[in-house]
Amino acid sequence: MIIDLRSDTVTKPTQGMREAMFSAPIGDDVFGEDPTVLALEEKIAGIFGKEAALFCPSGTMTNQIAIRLHTRIQTEVICHKYSHIYLYEGGGIMANSLASVKLLEGDLGKITASQVGASINPDDIHAPETTMVSLENTMNKGGGSIYTLDEVIPIKKVCEEYRLKLHLDGARFFNALVETGENPSEWGAQFDTISICLSKGLGCPVGSVLLGSKVDIKRARKIRKVMGGGMRQAGFLAAAGIYALDHHIDRLKEDHARARTLGEMLLKKSFVPEVLPVATNIAIARLDGITPEFFLKKLNEKGIKAVKFGPDLVRFVTHHDFDDDQLEEFRKRISDL
Ligand SMILES: *Cc1c(COP(=O)(O)O)cnc(C)c1O
C-alpha cells in the first residue's frame, strides 16, 4: 500500500459521491442550464452570505479571475510572498492581468493590517496603483496556518479606507472554519471575492468556486469564458461539490488530528529539528543534515510519498483517503529511518 501524503488533491471520490455524480440532473452550463451547477453555486454562495458564485475547473482559475476583476494594467496586488497566487499560478498576475505585485513578509505566511497600510503606493506617476489585497486561508506555505476574523477585520478596514478590493484564496478555507468555529457569513462580509477549492480536503475530483457580488460574478463568467473554463454538462462535477458540502466538512477535523500526530512522529526523528506548528492538515518538517531529495527517496522506498517544499523542507498533507490504519502504518514505516 502506498501512503500518499503529497497533497489533499490525491483523494478519489467515495462511493456515495460517485452515486451522487452519476445520478445528477445535467444541462449545458454555458447556456446557464445545468441545474446541478446552479444548485451548487446557490448553495455555497448562501453558506457565505454572498450574492452569487461561479463554478470553475480549478482554484488557479478562480483566483486569476478574481485578480482580473480587481486590477487593470499597471495596477498592483498586495500579498504575502508565500502566496499561491504569486508562487504557484504560473505568473498569472502578470500573464492574465498585466498587473504588478507587492510581496510582504510575515510569520507563517500571514500579513497584518499595518503592513498593508504601509504598502499602498502613493498617488504618483512612478508607482503602479494599488487596487487589491489577497489573503490565503489556510496558508499553504505557512504550514496550513489560520487567519482568524480578528486579524482580517482590521485589514478590511484599511481596504475600505483606501478603496482596495479584498480577495480570499480560500483553497482550504473550510479547514480553517472547522477549527475556529467562526461564522462563514461573517467571513463572507469581509471579502469582495472568495475562492474555494472542492478538490482539496473536500474530496471532489475537480472544481473550485468563486464567490462575490452579482455584478462581479457576471463579469467573472465572461472572464472564465476567455480562459476556456466554460464547461458544458458540468453538473456531474458540481454534484460531487454538493455532496462534499453535505458530508465532508466536519470530518476535516480528523485530518487535522492525524496531521498533528504525524507532525509529532516526524519530530522524534533526529534529522527533524522542527515541524512548523500544525494548525490544520499540513505538516511541514525542517530537515537537518539530510536533503529533502534524500529523505523523499528513503520515504519512497518505504511506500510513502511527500513533496519537497523548500531547500530544507518537506510537506505532508493529510486527507480523506488517509485513515488511522495508514497513520499507524506510517509510524511503523518511518521507525527505522
Ligand atoms: C491548490 C491551491 C489553489 C488552486 O489550485 P488548483 O490546483 O489550480 O485548483 C489555490 N490556492 C492554494 C493555497 C492552493 O493550495
Side-chain angles (χ1 to χ4, degrees), residues 8 11-12 14 17 174-175 177-179 198 200-204 243-260 280-281 317-324 326:
D8 42 10
T11 52
K12 302 197 176 93
T14 60
M17 182 178 281
F174 281 110
N175 293 83
L177 290 175
V178 298
E179 281 299 316
L198 302 166
K200 299 261 164 89
L202 293 181
C204 297
Y243 184 89
L245 293 175
D246 288 337
H247 297 95
H248 289 176
I249 292 178
D250 287 342
R251 64 152 307 286
L252 291 171
K253 285 187 202 149
E254 294 176 31
D255 295 345
H256 301 173
R258 290 187 192 108
R260 277 193 294 275
T280 51
N281 69 329
V317 186
T318 60
H319 51 73
H320 191 281
D321 297 1
F322 178 71
D323 59 17
D324 283 333
Q326 286 197 44

Side-chain angles (χ1 to χ4, degrees), residues 5 17 24 53 71 92 95 109 133 141-142 154 164 169 177 183 230 254 275 294:
L5 299 167
M17 182 178 281
T71 60
V133 177
K141 217 172 153 59
L164 309 181
D169 176 357
L177 290 175
N183 182 334
E254 294 176 31
V275 174
F294 182 78

Side-chain angles (χ1 to χ4, degrees), residues 92-271:
I93 299 173
M94 168 275 296
N96 295 314
S97 298
L98 297 172
S100 173
V101 59
K102 183 160 296 175
L103 300 174
L104 306 186
E105 314 248 352
D107 284 349
L108 299 175
K110 299 200 298 178
I111 59 178
T112 64
S114 60
Q115 278 180 296
V116 170
S119 309
I120 297 164
N121 287 335
D123 183 6
D124 178 313
I125 58 159
H126 298 90
E129 179 191 347
T130 309
T131 59
M132 81 176 276
V133 177
S134 180
L135 306 180
E136 190 175 309
N137 194 16
T138 67
M139 216 304 159
N140 176 25
K141 217 172 153 59
S145 55
I146 296 175
Y147 275 103
T148 58
L149 259 180
D150 290 355
E151 296 168 308
V152 167
I153 288 169
I155 296 176
K156 172 65 174 174
K157 283 222 175 74
V158 173
C159 291
E160 275 173 346
E161 189 181 337
Y162 291 90
R163 294 169 183 269
L164 309 181
K165 300 291 181 176
L166 185 56
H167 171 69
L168 179 65
D169 176 357
R172 298 188 178 86
F173 190 27
F174 281 110
N175 293 83
L177 290 175
V178 298
E179 281 299 316
T180 63
E182 288 172 338
N183 182 334
S185 55
E186 274 184 67
W187 272 87
Q190 307 304 318
F191 291 88
D192 295 285
T193 44
I194 299 178
S195 158
I196 301 213
C197 288
L198 302 166
S199 58
K200 299 261 164 89
L202 293 181
C204 297
V206 177
S208 290
V209 190
L210 184 67
L211 316 177
S213 67
K214 274 191 190 142
V215 171
D216 275 348
I217 295 302
K218 186 168 178 219
R219 279 183 62 212
R221 206 170 281 282
K222 200 156 181 170
I223 299 168
R224 183 184 71 174
K225 190 69 188 149
V226 78
M227 289 180 169
M231 299 183 286
R232 300 295 177 173
Q233 283 72 35
F236 288 124
L237 300 173
I242 293 172
Y243 184 89
L245 293 175
D246 288 337
H247 297 95
H248 289 176
I249 292 178
D250 287 342
R251 64 152 307 286
L252 291 171
K253 285 187 202 149
E254 294 176 31
D255 295 345
H256 301 173
R258 290 187 192 108
R260 277 193 294 275
T261 307
L262 191 136
E264 286 158 16
M265 291 175 185
L266 290 166
L267 206 47
K268 290 203 178 113
K269 298 281 125 187
S270 60
F271 51 86

Side-chain angles (χ1 to χ4, degrees), residues 280-291:
T280 51
N281 69 329
I282 297 176
I284 297 180
R286 189 177 301 285
L287 305 177
D288 184 29
I290 61 168
T291 62

